Amino acid sequence: MTATGDVNSAAGTLYVVATPIGNLEDISARALRVLSEVALIAAEDTRHSARLMQHFGIATPLAACHEHNERDEGSRFIKRLLAGEDVALISDAGTPLISDPGYHLVRHCRAAGIRVVPVPGACALIAALCAAGLPSDRFIFEGFLPAKQTARRARLEELKLEPRTLIFYEAPHRILDSLEDMSAVFGSDRPALLGRELTKTFETLKGLPLGAMHAWVASDDNQQRGECVVTVGGRQAPDSDAAVDANAQRVLNLLLGELPVKRAAALASEITGVRKNLLYQLALQKKNSGE
């Protein structure tokens, strides 16, 4: 909404509508009603969305909404909304704004006091997560990794110690390279699930450690086609790590910056009261892993 949170009662409503990611049965009755009733549908690709509308017998006009024209505060969408008409925003598949255009349009609408209403539905990252068998109580969505290997590995290094489940989107022509880099950075034994062509005829849901996953995809060209979601287990703390409280770890880390492993562990034990043996093993793990 506006800076004061006021709604412009004379304006129409922007509906952010999720559409199927593959299986057309996944569209909701509410989404079909909204798409039929609005004055205009803002679509990522009008040619692609026209086929979807035709399938469901929806005759609402379509207009392209892409990264360039959605940035314009005076766009045709904003003008029509301010004139009192309702508009629906859709992407090519799934929930708009999730690695798709729409953020700027939604932001401009809220700034102008135009009501924004979500119409939830299919989302590839949630579909993959709920079938992955990995912890789902806490997770992070990273979208697409950088296309170039140097930048991609640098981003993965930043995520190496992340304890939450990680979710990535990846293009088919980069899936092998990304899996190779994930295996190299996170470790070949890190559990993962590849969700490919979700809800479609040739859907794949394959769970393997990252090293084995890379080898499996490399051996089957069919697994290098279609849109991919890679779900990766977060970093699990070693037993010795979990047994040492945060304060003792902080003391040990400070001493390791100045002293050899054995001396750092002995001093940390004297300061914190934690067993020297435990601190020594933890210090060795930290040194060997480069933490």
Side-chain angles (χ1 to χ4, degrees):
M1 297 297 98
T2 62
T4 59
D6 295 333
V7 176
N8 183 342
S9 58
T13 298
L14 176 70
Y15 293 94
V16 183
V17 182
T19 55
I21 56 177
N23 193 318
L24 296 181
E25 293 178 4
D26 290 339
I27 198 164
S28 71
R30 183 185 177 203
L32 292 174
R33 178 183 59 77
V34 168
L35 292 172
S36 298
E37 292 177 354
V38 295
L40 182 69
I41 298 173
E44 183 180 358
D45 183 333
T46 55
R47 293 168 299 178
H48 176 91
S49 295
R51 294 192 290 272
L52 180 69
M53 298 305 118
Q54 184 178 20
H55 176 85
F56 288 109
I58 295 172
T60 306
L62 293 160
C65 178
H66 45 72
E67 189 174 353
H68 302 295
N69 69 3
E70 70 156 329
R71 290 176 181 269
D72 182 6
E73 295 181 42
S75 70
R76 63 189 296 186
F77 309 117
I78 298 293
K79 288 177 181 176
R80 294 188 67 162
L81 284 158
L82 289 174
E85 294 182 318
D86 294 335
V87 174
L89 170 67
I90 63 173
S91 62
D92 285 350
T95 302
L97 281 77
I98 309 300
S99 289
D100 281 323
Y103 158 70
H104 297 286
L105 177 58
V106 169
R107 183 167 61 88
H108 291 323
C109 284
R110 294 190 66 82
I114 296 168
R115 187 167 173 245
V116 179
V117 174
V119 182
C123 181
L125 76 94
I126 299 301
L129 177 65
C130 71
L134 295 169
S136 57
D137 54 336
R138 297 175 69 234
F139 61 91
I140 60 171
F141 174 57
E142 282 292 311
F144 288 91
L145 286 165
K148 298 293 179 66
Q149 185 183 57
T150 301
R152 185 167 58 240
R153 287 214 176 191
R155 182 63 189 134
L156 290 171
E157 285 288 350
E158 293 174 2
L159 298 167
K160 183 177 180 179
L161 302 180
E162 172 57 59
R164 293 169 293 182
T165 296
L166 299 148
I167 306 174
F168 304 91
Y169 283 171
E170 193 49 276
H173 62 281
R174 287 199 298 267
I175 186 62
L176 258 185
D177 291 338
S178 286
L179 286 173
E180 182 178 20
D181 290 342
M182 288 179 192
S183 180
V185 175
F186 295 153
S188 60
D189 293 335
R190 185 81 72 93
L193 178 126
L194 172 65
R196 187 186 66 85
E197 292 290 85
L198 292 173
T199 79
K200 301 176 186 176
T201 303
F202 299 105
E203 175 183 84
T204 295
L205 286 163
K206 184 74 169 180
L208 287 170
L210 280 170
M213 181 77 75
H214 176 261
W216 179 71
V217 172
S219 69
D220 184 354
D221 289 346
N222 287 324
Q223 304 308 323
Q224 300 169 45
R225 300 189 178 108
E227 298 303 316
C228 302
V229 184
V230 182
T231 309
V232 181
R235 187 250 189 184
Q236 298 300 304
D239 290 342
S240 58
D241 199 345
V244 178
D245 65 34
N247 180 60
Q249 289 195 49
R250 184 182 64 82
V251 171
L252 180 62
N253 288 337
L254 289 171
L255 292 171
L256 282 172
E258 304 293 335
L259 300 170
V261 169
K262 190 173 182 179
R263 182 61 180 151
L267 272 179
S269 177
E270 288 180 25
I271 295 169
T272 64
V274 176
R275 286 190 296 114
K276 183 169 66 176
N277 246 17
L278 200 56
L279 289 168
Y280 179 67
Q281 290 302 318
L282 179 56
L284 284 177
Q285 288 173 6
K286 289 178 177 293
K287 283 291 186 183
N288 291 336
S289 65
E291 291 182 36

